[in-house]
Amino acid sequence: MPQNVRGVVAHKKGEPVSVETIVIPDPGPGEAVVQVQACGVCHTDLHYREGGINDDFPFLLGHEAAGVVEEVGEGVTDVAPGDFVILNWRAVCGQCRACRRGTPWYCFATHNASQKMTLESGQELSPALGIGAFVDKTLVAAGQCTKVNPAAKPEVAGLLGCGVMAGFGAAVNTGGIGRGDSIAVIGCGGVGDAAIMGANLAGASTIIAIDTDPRKLEWAEQFGATHTINARETDVVEAVHALTGGHGANVVVDAVGRPETFKQAFYARDLAGTAVLVGVPTPDLVLELPLIDVFGRGGATKSSWYGDCLPTRDFPMLIDLHLQGRLPLEKFVSETIALDDVEAAFEKMHHGEVLRSVVVL
């Protein structure tokens, strides 16, 4: 039978969210109902509320989540009721041209649940990133459930579902940072600090944190930054070159996603170095670069989709590293809150007061 639960809904662009009754259908073929235990408040949810993703209102917000599988539909074999899972928003198909050539993290046909969750009125909801997890229970495609060690705390594990995985993967998977390398990270919120944490784990020798907020630079040092640059006070490109023997960093990660920050990333990297864009730009932003510089500086400029991760490979590994004490995921959790506090958490995020507010259910 369909279930009625509480969830956070954005009805109109820019308006405060509300907690309402959500109707969750029984899982159909290839689907699962997950009892959400924790969900991080990610900047992408705010983008949805502000109409920065699309205008398919109303949205059921939340996507950076962990919980327990309650029920599965026909044909589901990879997860079962009782499994502790992290939800991922890129459930790979296994059949598209990217999957067939052995690069499933680029899957071009990722899938979501076929059925829709609704309001009590029957109005269909658009779940954020195909998940919608600011809710007691949610309906997802079974492929969006990644089983991990249940010893991990839900409020920590769920962070891998989006921001932490995006930043960690931008440095390690997309940027290919390695032992003895240098890296600069522009923007030291949750995604940027995850890139710093990943570079530290990978053995980078020089890890440069760049932000305009001194408080965020202090946070970055807790994740392994060896140097900090206040972008309000210092020319970023010159400072990065000065800290890397005059050459520039091997990898520069732009976790902001604006033309000015990507230009900094492009010019702050070493010749033949790599610039990685993981911050999500809005559709109106335009980048201009002299083509001779694109040619003459060589190397690579890359965008990083979800940290180029493969959830079935990366989530269990990173949870194991966390449980071994090698990956301090708990440092990202600034506060735990209730569903009714999501709107206030958006304000704190907007003012840079938190790394992550996490809804605990």
Side-chain angles (χ1 to χ4, degrees), residues 220-242:
E221 291 179 320
Q222 298 178 26
F223 291 96
T226 59
H227 304 80
T228 61
I229 297 171
N230 188 321
R232 289 193 189 279
E233 301 173 352
T234 308
D235 182 282
V236 167
V237 174
E238 289 182 1
V240 171
H241 278 256

Side-chain angles (χ1 to χ4, degrees), residues 174-224:
T174 313
I177 195 73
R179 290 174 293 177
D181 286 344
S182 58
I183 184 172
V185 178
I186 303 173
C188 298
V191 173
D193 282 345
I196 289 168
M197 180 180 66
N200 186 44
L201 185 70
S205 58
T206 302
I207 304 173
I208 305 166
I210 303 162
D211 206 287
T212 58
D213 186 341
R215 174 176 43 190
K216 290 186 176 180
L217 293 175
E218 291 178 6
W219 292 343
E221 291 179 320
Q222 298 178 26
F223 291 96

Side-chain angles (χ1 to χ4, degrees), residues 1-5 22-28 31-34 70-73 115-118 137-139:
M1 296 287 291
Q3 303 182 64
N4 288 356
V5 297
I22 312 298
V23 181
I24 309 294
D26 291 335
E31 296 176 341
V33 169
V34 176
E70 180 180 87
E71 187 179 359
V72 299
Q115 299 182 88
K116 288 289 188 178
M117 294 176 278
T118 69
K137 298 177 184 179
T138 190
L139 176 77

Side-chain angles (χ1 to χ4, degrees), residues 80-95:
D83 285 346
F84 178 60
V85 297
I86 298 172
L87 300 182
N88 73 79
W89 50 267
R90 286 184 60 81
V92 302
C93 73
Q95 299 297 322

Side-chain angles (χ1 to χ4, degrees), residues 31-197:
E31 296 176 341
V33 169
V34 176
Q35 180 180 357
V36 179
Q37 295 180 318
C39 184
V41 182
C42 177
H43 206 277
T44 301
D45 293 304
L46 184 57
H47 274 322
Y48 272 103
R49 195 200 72 173
E50 297 301 307
I53 305 294
N54 57 53
D55 59 357
D56 293 336
F57 291 92
F59 293 111
L60 176 59
L61 299 182
H63 60 280
E64 195 176 71
V68 175
V69 175
E70 180 180 87
E71 187 179 359
V72 299
E74 180 184 349
V76 175
T77 58
D78 288 341
V79 292
D83 285 346
F84 178 60
V85 297
I86 298 172
L87 300 182
N88 73 79
W89 50 267
R90 286 184 60 81
V92 302
C93 73
Q95 299 297 322
C96 72
R97 61 192 187 280
C99 290
R100 287 179 179 273
R101 69 173 179 241
T103 54
W105 46 90
Y106 293 137
C107 178
F108 302 131
T110 57
H111 54 279
N112 302 317
S114 298
Q115 299 182 88
K116 288 289 188 178
M117 294 176 278
T118 69
L119 298 173
E120 282 187 294
S121 65
Q123 184 176 14
E124 292 185 347
L125 293 163
S126 299
L129 291 177
I131 291 177
F134 288 151
V135 65
D136 297 311
K137 298 177 184 179
T138 190
L139 176 77
V140 294
Q144 292 179 282
C145 301
T146 304
K147 186 177 178 180
V148 297
N149 191 328
K153 294 181 178 179
E155 60 267 32
V156 170
L159 300 181
L160 290 177
C162 188
V164 170
M165 187 68 254
F168 184 99
V172 176
N173 296 339
T174 313
I177 195 73
R179 290 174 293 177
D181 286 344
S182 58
I183 184 172
V185 178
I186 303 173
C188 298
V191 173
D193 282 345
I196 289 168
M197 180 180 66

